Amino acid sequence: MKSVIKGAGYILVHTPDMVLHNGTTQTTERIVNPNSEYLKELPKHIRSFEQALSYWPNQVYIGNKTPGELAAVEQPWCDKTCDVNDRYGKFGQIMPQEEFLLLMQSCDVFDLVKLDRDFVAAYKGALAANPLIDEAIMARINDGVDGAAVARLVEEDHSEGLYDHDKLVGCVNRAHDIDVNLSAHVILENLVSKASSVLALLSVVKSAGIDKTEVEYVIDCAEEACGDMNQRGGGNFAKSAAEIAGLSRATGSDVRGFCAAPSHAMIEAAALVASGAYKTVVVTAGGCTAKLGMNGKDHVKKGLPIMEDMVGGFAVVVTQNDGVNPEINLELLGRHTVGTGSAPQAVISSLVTDPLDRAGLKITDIDKYSPEMQNPDITKPAGAGDVPLANYKMIAALAVKRGEIEKADLMKFPVEHGLTGWAPTQGHIPSGVPYIGFAREDLLAGKISRVMIIGKGSLFLGRMTNLFDGVSFVIQKNSGEEAARGGVSEGQVKSLIAKAMKEFAATLLSQAD
C-alpha cells in the first residue's frame, strides 16, 4: 500500500529585529567587532512588513504565486514589487513579528517568556483575529508585565531580549542557572522553532481539510536541539508543538539530519503509514533564528536589503492511499550511503540515477526535480551562485553522459525539468520540500506524472564525521488501485455479507437434505 500526500502548509514570519539581535552573523560581529561599520549600516537595510509581503519569492512560498510565474520575472527580485501582497495564501501565511512574539508566549509552558503589558495590549487583538488562532491558544497569553521588570531581567538576570522596531518589548528567561542547554539564548531559539512549527501545523490542517483528531503521529525535522545537560537534543519538538496546535490524539518524535532531515522525515512518515502503524502522519519543521541575516554582510556591502529576515516553516500531511492524492513511491528511494563519497557526480548518481535505474526509468522520466530550492536573490550576491540551477546542471550532465538527452539540450533541462528557487535560507527549509504543495496540485491536475524530492545535508558541521548526506524520494500521480479496491460503500459491504450468509445457509440446508 502506498502512502499519499493529502496537503502541505508553508508559513513565513517576518522577524526584522531578530535579524539584528539573534542572527549569528550579527551576534558574532557584536562580540568580535562591536563598532563595525556593518553593524552601523545594517539597520538601514531592514525591510518593512509591507516590503516583505510584496517580495516575489515570499508570495510563491505561501502559494499566491507559482514557481513558473516567478521564473518569468527577471532577476534580481529584491528591487521589484509583486502584484500580490496578501499575507494569506492557499498554503499558509506570512505573520508579522508582533503577532509572532505573542504566539511564542502561548508556546511557553514554563513561564519563561515575559512581554511588556503595553505591547500585549496593543497586539493581542491582532493575533486573536488570525483565522488559525483559536481560544485555547489565546487563553495561554497573559496580560504581560511592567516594562521596567523586562529591562531588569535582561540587564541583571541573563535574559534574552525580545525587540520590536528596536524597542525592548519582552524577554526570554533562562531555564537553569548553569546549564548552557537551557540558557535564555537556547530557549529563545527553541521557542521560535516551536512556535513557527505550531503555525505550520495549524496551516496544514486547514489546507489539507482534515480534522485535528485525525493526526496520529507528528515528525519534527527542524535544525534545533531540545534538551538539557544530561541529554542535549533529546527532543521532543514534535509532541510539544502538537500540544499547542491541539492535535490531542497525536504522539511523535524528532528527526535530525541537517538539511536532509525533511526528506528523511517524509520517507519515514510514508513508511509508517504504508506499514499500517499510523493512518495519518504529519511532517513539520519550524524555522531557525541563527540563520537570519546569515549573508547580511554581502547584502549590505552591495547595497541590497536584508532578505534573510524570514523565519520559515512547513508541514505535510501523509495519509493512507485514498485512490486520489499523489503517492509516495517507497520503491524509488535514493540513498547517499556511507560508501558513496562526496564527489558531485557520485552524490547525484546515488540520489537520482541509482533509484531510477532500479525502476528502469530515465532521468527524463521525472517531470520535475526539487533539490535545494534556495532563493538565488539571496545566494548569488553572497558568492554561492544559483544553487538549484547548479543541481540541475549536474543532473543534466549525467543525462547527457547516459545518452538520454543531447548535449545541445543541456541548458533546456533546467527549464523543462527544474524550478527557480524561492525558499528562504533557513537550512532545512529549502531542502526539496517547498515544492511538495505545488507538486501535489500539478499531479492532481494531470500536468505532470512524477516528481523527485532531493534532500542533501552537511553532516561534517557537527564535527562527528566528514560524511555528506542525502536521500531522495519520488511522488507520483495516484494509480487508482486503492480506489478500485477500497471503493466499496458500507451499504455494499453489508449487502455482500448478507448475500454470502444467505448462500451459506442455503448450502447447509442442501447438505442436510
Side-chain angles (χ1 to χ4, degrees), residues 365-422:
D365 287 328
I366 298 295
D367 296 297
K368 289 290 183 181
Y369 290 88
S370 179
E372 303 155 290
M373 298 314 302
Q374 280 96 337
N375 175 1
D377 229 15
I378 295 172
T379 57
K380 287 167 74 174
D386 189 324
V387 179
L389 182 59
N391 279 279
Y392 295 132
K393 286 180 177 179
M394 285 190 285
I395 298 172
L398 276 179
V400 171
K401 184 177 180 181
R402 290 158 60 95
E404 295 174 2
I405 65 171
E406 297 296 325
K407 189 174 182 180
D409 295 329
L410 192 68
M411 293 312 297
K412 291 182 182 178
F413 186 90
V415 177
E416 295 174 353
H417 296 274
L419 302 156
T420 300
W422 67 90

Side-chain angles (χ1 to χ4, degrees), residues 15-43 45-46 160 185 288-300 305-310 426:
T15 53
D17 286 270
M18 289 186 184
V19 172
L20 300 171
H21 297 279
N22 305 112
T24 54
T25 295
Q26 290 67 245
T27 56
T28 301
E29 184 76 359
R30 201 168 286 117
I31 295 170
V32 175
N33 190 10
N35 297 313
S36 75
E37 288 302 313
Y38 168 63
L39 290 176
K40 294 175 184 176
E41 187 69 18
L42 179 62
H45 295 256
I46 296 296
E160 196 86 0
H185 173 82
C288 182
T289 58
K291 293 183 174 66
L292 293 170
M294 186 166 56
N295 294 292
K297 288 185 178 181
D298 291 299
H299 294 162
V300 167
I306 296 296
M307 292 167 280
E308 294 167 307
D309 55 356
M310 312 301 292
Q426 285 270 285

Side-chain angles (χ1 to χ4, degrees), residues 197-466:
S197 175
V198 167
L199 189 59
L201 287 171
L202 294 172
S203 296
V204 83
V205 166
K206 180 181 179 181
S207 65
I210 62 172
D211 191 273
K212 291 181 180 181
T213 59
E214 293 180 48
V215 182
E216 296 179 341
Y217 202 86
V218 177
I219 302 175
D220 183 285
C221 55
E223 290 191 336
E224 304 298 359
C226 183
D228 65 9
M229 68 176 75
N230 292 313
Q231 50 267 316
R232 283 194 303 266
N236 184 316
F237 276 102
K239 201 166 185 178
S240 66
E243 175 189 19
I244 304 300
L247 309 182
S248 59
R249 295 189 66 247
T251 183
S253 61
D254 299 346
V255 168
R256 295 292 175 262
F258 288 94
C259 298
S263 291
H264 282 294
M266 285 297 300
I267 292 169
E268 291 177 22
L272 284 171
V273 172
S275 72
Y278 299 98
K279 292 180 181 179
T280 301
V281 178
V282 177
V283 173
T284 185
C288 182
T289 58
K291 293 183 174 66
L292 293 170
M294 186 166 56
N295 294 292
K297 288 185 178 181
D298 291 299
H299 294 162
V300 167
K301 191 184 300 180
K302 292 177 171 64
L304 300 172
I306 296 296
M307 292 167 280
E308 294 167 307
D309 55 356
M310 312 301 292
V311 167
F314 80 92
V316 179
V317 176
V318 180
T319 66
Q320 291 179 318
N321 202 334
D322 56 6
V324 177
N325 278 294
E327 302 169 342
I328 298 173
N329 191 337
L330 291 174
E331 296 175 2
L332 288 177
L333 301 182
R335 309 174 185 89
H336 181 284
T337 65
V338 171
T340 298
S342 57
Q345 183 174 326
V347 172
I348 293 298
S349 294
S350 67
L351 298 178
V352 176
T353 58
D354 287 359
L356 295 180
D357 286 342
R358 291 197 302 270
L361 297 173
K362 297 178 181 179
I363 289 175
T364 50
D365 287 328
I366 298 295
D367 296 297
K368 289 290 183 181
Y369 290 88
S370 179
E372 303 155 290
M373 298 314 302
Q374 280 96 337
N375 175 1
D377 229 15
I378 295 172
T379 57
K380 287 167 74 174
D386 189 324
V387 179
L389 182 59
N391 279 279
Y392 295 132
K393 286 180 177 179
M394 285 190 285
I395 298 172
L398 276 179
V400 171
K401 184 177 180 181
R402 290 158 60 95
E404 295 174 2
I405 65 171
E406 297 296 325
K407 189 174 182 180
D409 295 329
L410 192 68
M411 293 312 297
K412 291 182 182 178
F413 186 90
V415 177
E416 295 174 353
H417 296 274
L419 302 156
T420 300
W422 67 90
T425 50
Q426 285 270 285
H428 56 296
I429 296 296
S431 196
V433 292
Y435 180 53
I436 290 178
F438 291 111
R440 176 179 174 272
E441 289 189 336
D442 289 344
L443 286 162
L444 284 171
K447 296 179 181 179
I448 55 177
S449 297
R450 297 186 190 94
V451 303
M452 180 178 282
I453 307 297
I454 303 170
K456 295 193 287 183
S458 307
L459 299 186
F460 52 82
L461 295 172
R463 307 303 194 271
M464 291 291 106
T465 177
N466 281 313

Side-chain angles (χ1 to χ4, degrees), residues 143-166:
D143 293 333
V145 299
D146 183 72
V150 172
R152 183 190 63 76
L153 287 168
V154 172
E155 293 170 7
E156 302 176 9
D157 211 26
H158 306 284
S159 296
E160 196 86 0
L162 296 172
Y163 299 84
D164 188 52
H165 295 287
D166 210 28

